[in-house]
Amino acid sequence: QVQVVESGGGLVQPGGSLRLSCTASGNIFSIYVMGWYRQAPEKQRELVASITRSGNTSYTDSVKGRFTISRNNAKTVDLQMNSLKPEDTAVYYCNVITVGPSRNYWGRGTQVTVSS
């Protein structure tokens, strides 16, 4: 079992920055991928960025060059978000994928609002 907790959301003006953090606990040695998803009102949840245990990263096109995902240690992942736009407004969820067995874990989400 893995527990996932996010922090760092809030209200920011367009062009501003926020840093989200995700901390996993429990069987952290089984973690293979950690990532961030977001879900805006009336939209489907989408993958924003992910990072594997070996450090390989992936980003959705709309955030490339603005967001950076980093893995501080085996259990903590940050998402640095710069040049934020109103369309980045959403609830951001941390996702953890484990191996042996393969399972998917989610945090409860943190609200990010970009507005003037």
Side-chain angles (χ1 to χ4, degrees), residues 25-37:
S25 60
N27 188 14
I28 62 171
F29 298 104
S30 66
I31 294 173
Y32 177 64
V33 180
M34 296 183 73
W36 287 94
Y37 285 71

Side-chain angles (χ1 to χ4, degrees), residues 88-102:
D88 294 318
T89 296
V91 178
Y92 284 70
Y93 297 90
C94 183
N95 172 258
V96 171
I97 299 174
T98 62
V99 292
S102 178

Side-chain angles (χ1 to χ4, degrees), residues 17-109:
S17 298
L18 278 177
R19 189 176 186 90
L20 305 182
S21 291
C22 171
T23 300
S25 60
N27 188 14
I28 62 171
F29 298 104
S30 66
I31 294 173
Y32 177 64
V33 180
M34 296 183 73
W36 287 94
Y37 285 71
R38 66 185 179 187
Q39 187 166 19
E42 301 181 357
K43 291 190 176 180
Q44 288 190 333
R45 191 173 295 191
E46 65 169 347
L47 176 62
V48 176
S50 64
I51 186 166
T52 67
R53 186 160 54 190
S54 59
N56 293 320
T57 59
S58 177
Y59 298 90
T60 191
D61 286 345
S62 63
V63 307
K64 286 180 180 177
R66 300 188 298 122
F67 291 12
T68 303
I69 190 169
S70 60
R71 194 159 179 175
N72 301 322
N73 50 46
K75 63 179 184 177
T76 305
V77 166
D78 290 345
L79 184 67
Q80 178 66 41
M81 306 185 294
N82 298 327
S83 302
L84 282 162
K85 304 175 181 180
E87 50 263 43
D88 294 318
T89 296
V91 178
Y92 284 70
Y93 297 90
C94 183
N95 172 258
V96 171
I97 299 174
T98 62
V99 292
S102 178
R103 289 186 177 157
N104 222 346
Y105 297 93
W106 294 91
R108 292 189 174 185

